[in-house]
Amino acid sequence: MIAVRADRPGRGSVLLGAAVAAAFTFAVVGSNIPGPILPLYEDHLGLSPFVLAALFVTYFVALVSMFLLVSRTSLGRFAWAVLPGALVVGLLGDVALWSGADTAWLLFVGRALTGTCVGLATGSAATLAVAARGDAGRTLAATGAIAGSFLGLIAAATVAQLLPEPTVLIYRLHAVSLVLSGLLLAAALWRSRRRLSALRHDEPT
């Protein structure tokens, strides 16, 4: 993560902080969607408990790999590009997961992409939140992680219980949320481009 000295928050920093929090929250939502709909995969695709467990392992392998990549490289200096890129990866993961409603191997592709998305988004969101709001940005990023976990479980359970084709619909709804939060993030990043230019020159801590 990059240490950035933040000025007194203005409208631009508040918008950036909110946009980063929203983007990170919806990125994390995707990681928690499969929990409530695992029984549907088991019934429809005939997946064994071992295969279902492997789906979760695939997510965590991708997640940890991205943590290691970010921690051992200078990607933190490019957080303004990494976070939007993470949302694009998450969107591709949603496409793979709703396509995997009838094709099991695509579920593994989707989970790997989701883990990659969250791994890239975690460090970049924290960096941008601190750049926008100073120390308060750390709390903002942590809140986004908790909110995303809660919303993912609740949304998936609600869709599975009340709406048709939940294994397709929930990922399409999540894809829409990623697009909308990505547009908000792009606008906030453009507005704060001068503030964020310091990230390219600071040393990682």
Side-chain angles (χ1 to χ4, degrees):
M1 198 166 84
I2 305 299
V4 178
R5 185 176 181 178
D7 300 323
R8 184 177 180 180
R11 290 183 179 180
S13 63
V14 171
L15 174 62
L16 179 60
V20 169
F24 184 47
T25 296
F26 285 116
V28 175
V29 163
S31 68
N32 290 275
I33 286 175
I37 60 178
L38 283 180
L40 301 180
Y41 287 130
E42 190 173 11
D43 292 340
H44 182 63
L45 296 175
L47 302 182
S48 67
F50 176 81
V51 174
L52 294 177
L55 282 174
F56 278 89
V57 171
T58 300
Y59 166 80
F60 284 110
V61 168
L63 178 71
V64 173
S65 297
M66 288 304 103
F67 284 162
L68 292 174
L69 175 65
V70 172
S71 67
R72 296 176 181 275
T73 65
S74 58
L75 281 178
R77 297 177 181 175
F78 303 96
W80 54 271
V82 173
L83 183 55
L87 297 184
V88 173
V89 174
L91 181 62
L92 294 175
D94 284 334
V95 174
L97 286 163
W98 84 55
S99 301
D102 296 309
T103 309
W105 68 269
L106 284 173
L107 295 178
F108 287 90
V109 174
R111 288 298 281 169
L113 290 171
T114 300
T116 301
C117 166
V118 177
L120 291 174
T122 300
S124 56
T127 297
L128 291 173
V130 172
R133 302 300 302 274
D135 288 338
R138 304 176 193 277
T139 302
L140 199 65
T143 301
I146 296 171
S149 299
F150 176 77
L151 290 174
L153 292 172
I154 294 298
T158 301
V159 170
Q161 183 69 31
L162 302 176
L163 298 176
E165 297 186 330
T167 57
V168 173
L169 179 59
I170 186 60
Y171 293 114
R172 290 181 176 174
L173 292 175
H174 183 244
V176 171
S177 72
L178 288 179
V179 171
L180 294 177
S181 61
L183 292 174
L184 176 63
L185 178 65
L189 290 172
W190 176 257
R191 183 170 180 175
S192 303
R193 59 192 182 279
R194 292 184 179 178
R195 173 189 292 268
L196 296 177
S197 64
L199 291 177
R200 302 177 186 178
H201 308 292
D202 286 327
E203 292 294 328
T205 59

